[in-house]
Amino acid sequence: MRITHNLMADRVLANLWQTQRSLLKWHTQGSSARRVNVPSDDPAGTMSILRYRSSLSELERYASSAAEAHEWITVSDEAIMHLQNNLHRVREIAVLGANGSLPPDARTAYTAELEEIIRHVVTIANSSYDGRFVFGGHETTQPPFVQDATGVAYNGDQGEILREVGRGVNLTINVPGDELFGTVALDAGGNVVGGQGVFHLLARLKEEIEAGNVAQVSALLEDLNQVQELVNNYQVKLGATGRRALQVMDQVRDVRITMETLLSNIEDADVAEVTMRLATAEASYRYALAVGARIMQPSLVEYLR
């Protein structure tokens, strides 16, 4: 085989190109701190990297959803706690109102206090989180409860608000406001003519204490027991859902740490190895340049001389 000058030049350039390619590979890994920068670096590893990143993105979405669910439930739970505190005071007033010897001025004072409690409970029922009302079902953009001369009306619906915290796992994070707080309807004279739940009970109790109907006030104590039991049941249900949201957040955090470790094992570069190989590639490139320069230095004119 005849060794021509062009053949030598091509071989020298080809060898330099391979050395440059190796140098560029280790330089890229060193500067990016990643072993896999393009799919050709590790085709099988690239597929695993894509799967892990997709799973991490999904986990991030579940974690965000669980965190929002927990915050929503916390706001709802605090509202129910305030409602319970008011109902405890209502019970005290009802027990006192069932006393037949209660003087008229005391009845007037308790009636006024119950009126204030009703207004306060309306405020509680219109609690909001991040600009959304938590007790209005799907109607979250406007206050679900409105109080006027005709009573307290509910403008929400019974829609469930769901948050996906896992594949096929949805948490119901809201409580139907009309079931928890109820409504009350008043006639032109302010007398109770309809309704149900907390608001109906408060309005009835106010009306009977004001009228001095001791027997009716005593009878309403049993209704108060049922209302408090209903409120307690909703709080227990919310508490269980809140704990589930926290469990999901903890589980997602643990799985994410494990997955990020597996992703790092595939994707990240070994700094010590990259440093060593980069130094070796750089030395090889410099040596290849020196050798190539010596081989390609003689020209045809120098050969003829």
Side-chain angles (χ1 to χ4, degrees):
M1 178 180 177
R2 182 184 177 194
I3 306 299
T4 65
H5 185 78
N6 286 338
L7 179 60
M8 290 180 61
D10 290 342
R11 288 292 178 86
V12 169
L13 291 175
N15 290 335
L16 283 174
W17 180 80
Q18 288 186 353
T19 307
Q20 283 180 321
R21 184 179 179 184
S22 177
L23 180 62
L24 178 62
K25 171 186 174 182
W26 297 113
H27 178 270
T28 301
Q29 288 192 19
S31 60
S32 66
R34 292 182 177 180
R35 185 181 68 86
V36 181
N37 290 281
V38 293
S40 58
D41 290 340
D42 185 353
T46 299
M47 294 299 296
S48 297
I49 289 171
L50 291 176
R51 285 197 299 270
Y52 284 137
R53 285 182 177 173
S54 176
S55 297
L56 283 171
S57 177
E58 187 177 44
L59 286 173
E60 188 66 30
R61 179 164 54 86
Y62 292 150
S64 176
S65 183
E68 183 192 8
H70 182 260
E71 291 171 359
W72 182 290
I73 290 170
T74 298
V75 171
S76 302
D77 185 60
E78 289 177 353
I80 293 178
M81 287 179 60
H82 289 305
L83 174 60
Q84 286 182 324
N85 292 335
N86 279 274
L87 291 178
H88 289 321
R89 177 54 185 162
V90 168
R91 175 173 292 279
E92 293 174 357
I93 294 174
V95 171
L96 294 171
N99 184 354
S101 60
L102 194 67
D105 57 341
R107 289 202 303 269
T108 301
Y110 290 141
T111 298
E113 185 175 355
L114 285 170
E115 183 63 37
E116 287 299 323
I117 289 176
I118 292 173
R119 280 196 285 267
H120 187 208
V121 172
V122 170
T123 302
I124 294 172
N126 286 331
S127 297
S128 63
Y129 162 72
D130 194 25
R132 292 169 293 174
F133 294 94
V134 299
F135 294 115
H138 290 160
E139 302 295 330
T140 61
T141 59
Q142 60 181 357
F145 289 91
V146 177
Q147 183 181 19
D148 56 24
T150 64
V152 180
Y154 180 65
N155 292 329
D157 59 29
Q158 291 189 320
E160 289 186 341
I161 297 179
L162 303 176
R163 289 295 179 267
E164 186 181 16
V165 297
R167 292 183 182 178
V169 180
N170 293 293
L171 297 180
T172 301
I173 64 173
N174 70 310
V175 172
D178 58 338
E179 294 183 11
L180 177 61
F181 294 94
T183 59
V184 63
L186 306 177
D187 61 16
N191 301 311
V192 178
V193 294
Q196 47 89 29
V198 173
F199 286 122
H200 182 258
L201 172 66
L202 295 178
R204 282 285 313 282
L205 189 59
K206 170 180 170 291
E207 185 178 71
E208 300 300 343
I209 289 179
E210 186 175 23
N213 296 328
V214 175
Q216 291 297 328
V217 173
S218 298
L220 286 174
L221 282 171
E222 180 58 32
D223 294 339
L224 181 58
N225 290 336
Q226 296 177 5
V227 165
Q228 287 185 299
E229 183 178 359
L230 175 68
V231 173
N232 288 334
N233 289 339
Y234 274 120
Q235 188 168 36
V236 170
K237 182 179 178 181
L238 271 181
T241 306
R243 285 191 295 274
R244 175 61 177 148
L246 285 175
Q247 290 172 353
V248 169
M249 292 166 63
D250 292 339
Q251 182 181 5
V252 167
R253 184 189 62 243
D254 295 340
V255 173
R256 184 168 53 190
I257 291 173
T258 300
M259 201 162 292
E260 286 175 346
T261 301
L262 294 173
L263 176 61
S264 176
N265 291 338
I266 298 174
E267 186 178 41
D268 293 351
D270 185 329
V271 177
E273 180 185 6
V274 169
T275 301
M276 179 190 69
R277 291 188 178 274
L278 180 60
T280 302
E282 184 179 5
S284 298
Y285 181 62
R286 292 181 181 276
Y287 184 72
L289 284 175
V291 171
R294 293 184 61 182
I295 292 176
M296 299 305 298
Q297 185 176 8
S299 65
L300 179 60
V301 175
E302 291 173 339
Y303 175 77
L304 292 175
R305 289 178 181 175

